[in-house]
Amino acid sequence: MKAWTAALGLAALCACSSKAEQIGAVDTAFQWIGPDHKIVVDAFDDPLVQGVTCFVSRAKTGGIKGALGLAEDKAEASIACRQVGPISFTKPLPQSDEVFNERLSILFKKLRIVRMVDKKRNALVYLTYSDKLIDGSPENAVTAVAVDRATVIPVK
């Protein structure tokens, strides 16, 4: 009974209430048992900035461990955020704020996306990184969305 309870707790820990929407995936390596290794592309809308969507590509481990949610996905990710409609703000933005995170391993590693406001250039900068250190520094990628100068970015 304790093993069953532990398994349920572990499954709950792995479940992400992600707001990302999978756009597509490509297989990168065939696996005899379980799903193939893949590169997936997810999209998510910035929760405080209407009209901006970020697209993130990352590796997804397959095989038996991947099927069971026990695999540790690679830390590398690529990000591209774009204006997809008129930009507006639901409320003032913090100077820097985590807008998305997703678990990449069962225990510690997460993929995080942080939005930063560049007031001087009237731009939104998005940084993606893994919070597990790899050889002394985390893998990361950055992108920016320029906001029309007529639209001032409200900052707290």
Side-chain angles (χ1 to χ4, degrees), residues 8-149:
L8 283 175
L10 194 57
L13 179 68
C14 293
C16 288
S17 59
S18 165
K19 296 178 185 175
E21 170 189 350
Q22 185 171 320
I23 300 299
V26 295
D27 289 350
T28 58
F30 174 76
Q31 298 295 297
W32 286 102
I33 300 175
D36 293 344
H37 296 316
K38 300 178 184 304
I39 296 174
V40 296
V41 177
D42 294 327
F44 75 91
D45 298 322
D46 188 318
L48 297 182
V49 182
Q50 296 173 352
V52 173
T53 299
C54 292
F55 301 91
V56 178
S57 68
R58 60 182 179 79
K60 182 98 173 135
T61 304
I64 295 172
K65 286 184 176 181
L68 297 174
L70 301 174
E72 182 168 325
D73 291 336
K74 300 282 185 184
E76 301 95 10
S78 176
I79 187 169
C81 297
R82 299 293 184 260
Q83 180 177 350
V84 295
I87 292 180
S88 62
F89 304 93
T90 57
K91 62 182 183 178
L93 305 177
Q95 180 61 41
S96 180
D97 189 25
E98 182 173 286
V99 294
F100 180 79
N101 70 62
E102 184 174 356
R103 196 173 297 284
L104 296 179
S105 74
I106 197 156
L107 293 177
F108 300 112
K109 187 172 24 172
K110 282 188 176 181
L111 175 72
R112 298 181 183 276
I113 299 174
V114 174
R115 177 198 340 95
M116 300 172 201
V117 178
D118 180 349
K119 286 188 63 108
K120 179 178 178 181
R121 293 164 192 84
N122 211 48
L124 301 169
V125 179
Y126 294 85
L127 169 70
T128 184
Y129 68 97
S130 165
D131 62 2
K132 181 177 180 183
L133 295 181
I134 309 298
D135 294 329
S137 64
E139 297 285 339
N140 64 85
V142 68
T143 187
V145 176
V147 179
D148 187 326
R149 293 265 179 208

